[in-house]
Amino acid sequence: MKSAWTPQSKLPAVGTTIFTVIGQLAEEHHALNLSQGAPNFAPDPKLVESAARAMRAGHNQYAPMSGVHALRDALALKTQKLYGATYDPASEITVVASASEGLYATISALVHPGDEVIYFEPSFDSYGPIVQLQGATPVAIKLSPVDFHIDWDEVQAAVTPRTRMIIVNSPHNPSGSAFTSVDIERLTALTRDSKIIVLSDEVY
Ligand SMILES: Cc1ncc(COP(=O)(O)O)c(C=O)c1O
């Protein structure tokens, strides 16, 4: 029997995501699904074997809240080797199940009702709804055609005393554009000595 009461959505305007739409269409038409980073190769057998070995060895309990120590150590080492950036695995690295979880946790922890969050469109489609769920205002700035670069003067003009966060995504989904050193300099200049937090979604 259908209940007479329907729970009220906090985000009634959010429809079906483009990923679902394109995913279904791709399946229906046997087309390549370019809407998501679906690998067209099998996982490395070493990875499959290591996961199976870990499970056979009984590693099936809760991990520490911020992630298995050995994994955080390995991530710190990788970040150091690749980017020359040093992070303390004990206090500066947290392992999450997905970028979506990381985005949700970070935005809900740091963004307060009444705050404004700047991000760039086209964007990964959960940024705006997560910000709205905090009672904050998403401020979307359109990337400039043809190469989808950021117009930093426009960003500067959009900053107000309520701006709490700027979300950047480089390399960018869906355009593939990537930050230049000038973008980093402009972002640094804009946020230095401010209370604006930069959330950098580097999922790719
Ligand atoms: C820019 C961007 N951020 C975050 C995500 C979410 O990643 P995950 O699947 O790890 O939640 C995606 C997925 O396509 C993405 O394109």
Side-chain angles (χ1 to χ4, degrees), residues 19 35-37 97-101 103 124 127 169 173 201 203-204:
F19 296 109
S35 70
Q36 281 169 309
S98 67
S100 299
E101 185 199 338
L103 286 163
F124 181 58
Y127 296 166
N169 168 220
N173 178 19
D201 176 3
V203 72
Y204 294 111

Side-chain angles (χ1 to χ4, degrees), residues 49-73:
E49 185 40 46
S50 305
R53 200 172 49 239
M55 283 190 279
R56 278 195 295 265
H59 296 293
N60 64 342
Q61 298 299 324
Y62 280 116
M65 288 286 272
S66 44
V68 171
H69 295 293
L71 178 56
R72 281 186 280 149
D73 287 344

